[in-house]
């Protein structure tokens, strides 16, 4: 086929979806393909979800849980605001598709929604433990903190940053989305608006992580912790689930920048009863571990 | 009285408890005391708890909740270890008195116990959300992470660091306490011991905060987050409850190194219903706030 | 008078302006005042400008120069946007009063306007040297970069941060002001809007100084440099003009965090012609200088 | 030819200029060379400028502009010093060849001279805006700040650091050159000498960038800013002019360590007049941008 | 042979020692091996030392010098403790094999012993200069500071970290070894124990290098310096001895993260007598040096 | 006397030495002075050494030891250079007076000389342990590294920085002194000169401590370590010798920025023989220690 190579190449661009016709043969027990033709496919003829990783959960159910939570807010201003965001016809479809991040955690179609719903449920538990936390404010922070990702990230063909995303970032984009929604609600109390926008601005927790303000309210501090915890738990889950790594050690986790130890066997296998010689001696503590994961001086 | 001043002074030392006899009078509407005598008091004649801040909770009840949690561990090794620590006759009384820190959070008699029990309950909630977390390991981390504080901090007369505490720190002291307990349990699996000691060593989360190892297991990462969250929530509660500060802003929170905003009124007072002019206009957004709490360039 | 002390005190609050009636006498050659009464003054009865430091320049003339510059923009979108901001009836009066910072530079009534006009003129000169810089974008960045200060800082009675200013900061506040103005211009090109908002977000130059984005365009880089240069030159001028300090050394400059050397005499006095013994030997190089202004190891 | 390979190789060394004799043929439409001989070329037989990148400007004209500026200094000591440096027969030829840096900016033959002349002209403009800046001191700083590069960098065959350059750096080398010139001028005022040498030592602006002293005079602060601005503008120009990068985004700029956005089209094409639908909608804001250029948390 | 490839591969694992039978031939003047068979070798049939780098010194002699030093301690507690560690039958063989680090310095069999013995001798010299240093404490610090490496590092087949080593680190492992030994000595004074354990905990000198405590005693400060100096001198020696590098410059030294200059020839060759033209002019100062070894701004 | 107060004050200035005539009386058992007159004293009428702290050693003997060491250098170039510096009639007297630092270590008349002589002797011991160190280069580094202090610091009346010292720092001043001396020696090999000047420039060990170059030779690395060690040992000695502090803990050491523990009693008092109950139980490990000396999280 490669006679017409240049003509074929001219038909598609980076990130286009194509159909490939090829001839297969076995060579040294490995499958080898000889490409015969490459044909671009129109967007209507394929499902993006077939080419990008996506959440294992049902996006519509996640959305329903989000919507339910939002309608359960007690404070009427908070409820009106959150409903107006979540049910916005131009926001909802994007919310159902956006990943929560490019690579660090929940990096798949529906990841943002999965992250938000996880946080809503986590925050209910945590707020039951710290009753001084205002549940409505915390809910507002959770629902809105990453809303700018729907404009920052593109998942048209593959995941990427939009130019607007690069220039402004999801924190400023999110604040702008929320402010517009607030301005559309007549008489929304301005102090409450500032407290809510502050949740978005401060949720990365420190200036060097891109938050232009430090968390200054109880709920802003809690939001930062919960967001960070949920991201890290998801990132660890992904690494732990992967086959990569050596022995009990995982490959390097990109969010934590270290290898992690899988400890399931240390407890899962029935250990000997205390005070009797343990069968678990079989777990060799002196097996090789990855080199220098914590930067301390050797 | 001051004729015999030096003789009186010679009878007591820094941090001794004394009785003072003085004559009171009113001067410019203020009470003025003229000291007549100062008499040292024997330790048996006073209650330390009357001179040091202490938890508002019932220490024995806290201890009972801790003990119950420890007995509920499923893994027999973990359970045996934790019981042997918590019920140790030389540890239990110290555990009931120790503060959780000198100044940052839970800085009062019984503070350590209060912090640990709070974490146990928080961790149950969080573990129900992330079922991949091993509850026994997390429990071990929570019960043991700060156990070294009973040797690091002294609360004989006032709070202070012991010389041993200064030289070794509560992380190393805690690991030593736990290792001795582990060695007293015959056949305790060494790999499990390492995983448990790692929880203590890594719980500050980073080298520059004094942990000689970074958290390398799922539970170690979670422990660091939960410990940090509970400490911060307690520190915030203390600051919020204080009268100090200006307007809605608190005094400087020592753990977070910033002033915090009390937001209760922003939501607590029944706001106008959305779409009608708000009464909340009374909250002045332009009132003075503390200066430069976040270190960003003005 | 102090009989009625409490009644008097109850009449005014922090930052109120009051009239004081007092009796003067000389004591040890120093004037001593015995206060007899303190009476609050209504806002209409005094000029704020009499109690706060203010620019030495004519605010209306500064405003006229700004307005002229804005009308001279060539790009119609930029021009429409800038005019809509500068001539906004609710913005203009605040723009004429706001200081450029609380303490670091131009910390006086009219300081923001003075800083912006200085930058406009500086940027014309610099843009003539680097013709690749787009003058309209640079102008937009200069006029808008600190516009959020009119909401961040309060100068009602003294300078201070508003609660909204603390929660959101002038960068996010500025972006919101500008975005609302852009949305009011029909068909404003969204890419251009992003490029302009980026100038505001990135003008502090780095995350740790509170910019959530790094400068990513030529004009954003230049804006950061020019803003920083103009701030530092003004801060230095203030320190140099003060009598404080020792010998040729000024007091500590808060923006640069070091003492500075006044070098005027090193060149101002007519030095001997080269090749003849200098009269300038009178400048003692070995006079005492402030201690350790640069943090290097002694 | 490769029979005599080792003999041929022995005739030249790394960075030598050689003549190659080869036979050309076409293979798959690409030119292929079969080397037949390699002959070293004597230094007199080639022009270095043919093998190294060089300024697009006329070096002699640049030198003339520098010389003119130096002669225009008003202060006789400064003028004598600068003339003695610039017209030094052993310095001038090196000054005409040296690059301004190895890779960051003006990294070509004549780059140092181009950088200095650009700064002279920029500083005249800036000094007209800040008349408190002493023009002679600023000129001295500009002409001398990088003079040590003529000893730090080697451009005999390719650009590289000399061993002396590695051991001492251009800042110390430059100070030594200037001090020797000052000592050759009888009665040069020592305080003025210190102020001038300080400009060289402090021009990197901070200790971690290799300046052993922080800028402590008005002119030293300004010199650091202008030097940094001119370097960055030149570095940006180089990156912008390169074809590399994706879409509107350039390749990574080594001096700024980020990708930059080319914004020319955002303003250059005649936008619709405000208030009418814009043709510029064609600029896709959501096109892919480079990943994570600013280090903030995703 | 490769017909039975999979069967052969199944016989051994990573880091196993194998015998290879191969046929050699010359191809283009280079030796080429055609592998015919690979046979695992039992541990008893080879010497580990033949496959891992090892100290050039005689390990038994090093051990004897260590033992002699330990017996020469004056303080009976210190002496008893050190002897109990060094002569422990389960510790001694490990001590003779362990490397001092994975890569940075003394990274070979016997390296730890070599490092400790070098430090003992260095410390005697230094203590003779600073008589205020307590020799017994310093000796204890030197002998014990890296004792945890025998559990942190594995040299069974190749060098690596054990899982226990990764989880706990050699500092905590070392402290635990020492504490157990101390507890075995009846009535060992607890204050002295704390001072000795502190030497281990603090010997990295700062938190960010993995020491959970800063050095707080004179001997702890000295130990950190001497340990660091000896490590660096050994690391430099290795780099200097390698042929890698360009001209007088070595390859990059991993411990110092920079290239180093070999200066031997600068002094070794008999220079001309002062005041006569030097033959050493042959050393070209302007030869190429490595690029940017110190991170300063070019 | 205070009638003529202003006239008296006009007669002297800051740092002048004065005679005071006063009347003494006892008041509450404390001596009280009533000043009657203050008379300036001419410089010839007092000894500076009576008013500034000075070394306890004999300065002339220190100088003799330095001179002897310098004359013992083997390399003729190094020897010629060092002798020309040490015996320079304008340098020697300053060398005998200069302190080694303002506050950190050896902060007294003669301190620089004491520090240099201590280093010479320390370096001989260390070089006997690391024979690969070139003794002449190390000697050159030791003698010359702080020579710039004679121009950086002023001890005319009290210790202070000279203006030249502030502007240039002792590193650049020292390099200039040495370069001038080298240029006075005909045919001094330039490579050797660079290696020696590098020792001065790099002796602070890192850019952020004010060295414009990192140590790049074996001797430069060693010099940095030895200089740092000797400074710290002297600083510790001063703190240990002071009565300030609480119990075994010293006051805060300014060079190390922490409190230190005096351990002498831990070993000095004859401890019980091992294996018998110790009398040393009297040393209370739980006595109060200073608060938070190491910045780790409580």
């Amino acid at each position: 086929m490669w006679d017409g190579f240049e003509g074929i190449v001219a038909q598609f661009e980076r990130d286009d979806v194509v159909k490939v016709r090829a001839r297969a043969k076995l060579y040294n027990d490995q499958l080898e393909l000889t490409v015969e033709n490459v044909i671009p496919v129109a967007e209507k003829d394929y499902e993006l979800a077939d080419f990008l990783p996506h959440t294992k959960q049902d996006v519509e159910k996640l959305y329903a849980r989000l919507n339910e939570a939002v309608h359960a807010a007690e404070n009427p201003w908070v409820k009106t605001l959150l409903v107006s965001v979540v049910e916005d016809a131009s926001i909802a479809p994007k919310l159902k598709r956006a990943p929560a991040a490019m690579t660090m955690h929940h990096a798949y179609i529906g990841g943002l929604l999965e992250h938000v719903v996880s946080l809503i449920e986590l925050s209910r538990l945590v707020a039951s433990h710290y009753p001084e936390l205002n549940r409505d404010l915390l809910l507002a922070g959770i629902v809105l903190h990453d809303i700018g990702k729907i404009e920052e990230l593109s998942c048209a063909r593959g995941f990427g940053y939009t130019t607007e995303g690069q220039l402004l970032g999801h924190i400023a984009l999110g604040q702008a989305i929320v402010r517009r929604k607030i301005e559309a609600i007549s008489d929304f109390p301005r102090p409450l608006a500032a407290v809510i926008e502050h949740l978005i601005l401060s949720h990365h927790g420190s200036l060097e992580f891109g938050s232009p303000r430090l968390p200054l309210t109880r709920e802003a501090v809690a939001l930062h912790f919960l967001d960070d915890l949920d991201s890290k738990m998801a990132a660890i889950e992904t690494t732990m689930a992967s086959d990569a790594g050596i022995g009990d050690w995982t490959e390097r986790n990109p969010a934590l920048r270290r290898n992690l130890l899988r400890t399931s066997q240390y407890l899962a296998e029935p250990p000997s009863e205390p005070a009797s010689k343990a069968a678990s001696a079989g777990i060799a503590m002196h097996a090789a571990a990855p080199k220098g994961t914590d930067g301390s001086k050797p």
Side-chain angles (χ1 to χ4, degrees), chain A:
Chain A
M1 80 164 247
W2 298 114
D3 300 331
F5 180 78
E6 297 201 352
I8 287 169
V9 162
Q11 294 176 60
F12 53 86
E13 295 190 334
R14 223 176 91 131
D15 287 332
D16 271 359
V17 172
V18 295
K19 269 191 194 161
V20 174
R21 190 176 69 204
R23 194 180 302 260
K25 63 178 174 190
L26 274 181
Y27 181 80
N28 275 346
D29 280 339
Q30 289 199 305
L31 189 69
E32 208 177 86
L33 292 180
T34 306
V35 174
E36 299 196 328
N37 203 354
V38 179
I39 307 156
V41 185
E43 281 200 31
K44 65 177 173 49
D45 293 338
Y46 63 89
E47 272 299 310
L48 175 66
D50 294 342
F51 296 94
L52 290 175
H54 50 98
T55 177
K56 290 167 191 157
Q57 301 188 40
D58 180 323
V59 164
E60 291 306 328
K61 284 187 186 158
L62 287 171
Y63 181 76
R65 280 152 75 188
L66 166 63
N67 214 12
E68 182 186 11
V70 152
H71 279 278
E74 290 182 13
N75 182 285
W77 296 109
V78 169
K79 181 175 167 180
T80 303
L81 171 62
L82 297 186
V83 168
S84 79
V85 170
V86 168
E87 298 189 351
D88 182 303
S90 74
I91 290 175
K94 292 177 189 162
L95 196 52
K96 292 175 185 172
R97 284 169 48 128
M102 283 284 292
T103 53
M104 293 297 187
H105 66 101
H106 301 94
Y108 39 74
I109 297 290
L112 177 55
L113 198 52
E114 187 183 319
H115 174 47
V116 166
V117 170
S118 172
L119 273 175
I120 288 173
E121 290 164 11
L122 173 64
S123 74
R124 279 180 183 151
L125 298 166
V126 170
S128 74
H129 189 66
Y130 300 111
E132 65 268 31
L133 285 168
N134 183 288
R135 290 170 180 237
D136 285 339
L137 274 187
L138 199 50
L139 177 67
I142 287 167
V143 174
L144 303 175
H145 79 292
D146 269 355
I147 195 70
K149 297 245 176 175
I150 65 175
E151 295 183 357
E152 184 192 36
L153 300 179
S154 151
C155 48
R157 303 290 179 80
F159 296 144
Y161 287 96
T162 63
T163 285
E164 204 170 18
Q166 276 295 54
L167 290 175
L168 306 181
H170 73 270
I171 286 186
L173 287 168
Q175 188 210 5
I177 291 170
V178 171
R179 178 163 283 213
R180 194 187 309 174
K181 286 297 185 188
I182 284 174
E183 287 172 355
I185 300 169
S186 63
D187 299 321
F188 197 100
R190 193 161 163 196
L192 180 57
V195 166
I196 290 172
E197 291 179 27
H198 172 74
L199 287 162
I200 301 171
L201 292 182
S202 68
H203 84 271
H204 281 184
S206 63
L207 301 188
E208 59 271 33
F209 284 132
S211 265
R213 309 305 286 174
L214 298 181
L216 297 174
T217 66
R218 185 148 33 199
E219 289 77 18
V221 172
L223 173 64
H224 166 58
F225 268 99
L226 298 182
D227 179 34
D228 206 7
L229 174 62
D230 194 63
S231 311
K232 293 294 194 302
M233 285 296 115
I236 290 174
E237 186 63 18
T238 300
T239 305
M240 290 283 187
S242 153
D243 286 338
I246 298 176
D248 292 341
W249 291 94
T250 69
E251 62 185 335
R252 187 176 173 82
N253 179 292
L256 289 161
R257 272 173 285 176
R258 67 194 82 148
N259 305 75
L260 296 166
L261 184 68
R262 296 183 185 91
T263 56
S264 50
Q265 64 166 315
Y266 293 65
L267 285 159
E269 56 183 275
S272 330
E273 288 304 300
S276 70
K277 269 292 172 199
S280 64
I283 305 172
M285 259 291 110
H286 288 81
K291 174 177 146 197
T293 61
D294 73 352
S296 73
K297 215 180 79 172

